[in-house]
Amino acid sequence: MRLGSLFVASVLVAGSVATNAAPAGKLAHEPLRCVPAAGNAKILASWAGAGQVTTARVYFRAAGAKEESFLELRRTNVPNGFWAVLPVPAPAVTSVSYRIVLKDSDGRAASSDPVDVPVTASCPATLSAEEVAYAKNLVVGQTGAMQ
């Protein structure tokens, strides 16, 4: 799936990111090192601690875009593990910014710090069959009225 440059990104996972104003627990994920220029990439996140995660999203935007888009993270087979495959970047996109936000049943949110990632042709894009199927049917949420 290919989206316009205002809300296009792809993401792969790799070190831990601290949370901001989090409920009792810890949001962790390994920041991406790059985003494939012609493929999807995957975000992985996990939650450790008290509280049940009820909403898990990754917010992203292409360099220069004012508004973020988001995807709902899916649960992994590991307890409190989450993943999403983000859209393939539009050809003019040179970098992507993203952050992960988890909310618990009391509405308290844990957010990773924003991560800026370059889009490169040499970035690997390895997805499972399930992830490829998911990438073909992305439902991208919008945060701005003009999107």
Side-chain angles (χ1 to χ4, degrees), residues 43-108:
I43 287 224
L44 294 172
S46 64
W47 174 252
Q52 177 66 31
V53 173
T54 56
T55 303
R57 289 181 174 174
V58 57
Y59 290 86
F60 60 96
R61 69 174 161 222
K66 293 181 182 180
E67 305 289 343
E68 291 179 308
S69 296
F70 68 88
L71 291 167
E72 300 290 338
L73 290 156
R74 299 179 66 145
R75 291 192 181 268
T76 66
N77 294 332
V78 176
N80 292 318
F82 303 90
W83 68 274
V85 175
L86 298 174
V88 175
V93 175
T94 59
S95 69
V96 171
S97 176
Y98 74 93
R99 63 191 173 94
I100 299 168
V101 178
L102 304 180
K103 290 185 181 178
D104 70 11
S105 56
D106 294 325
R108 296 175 296 194

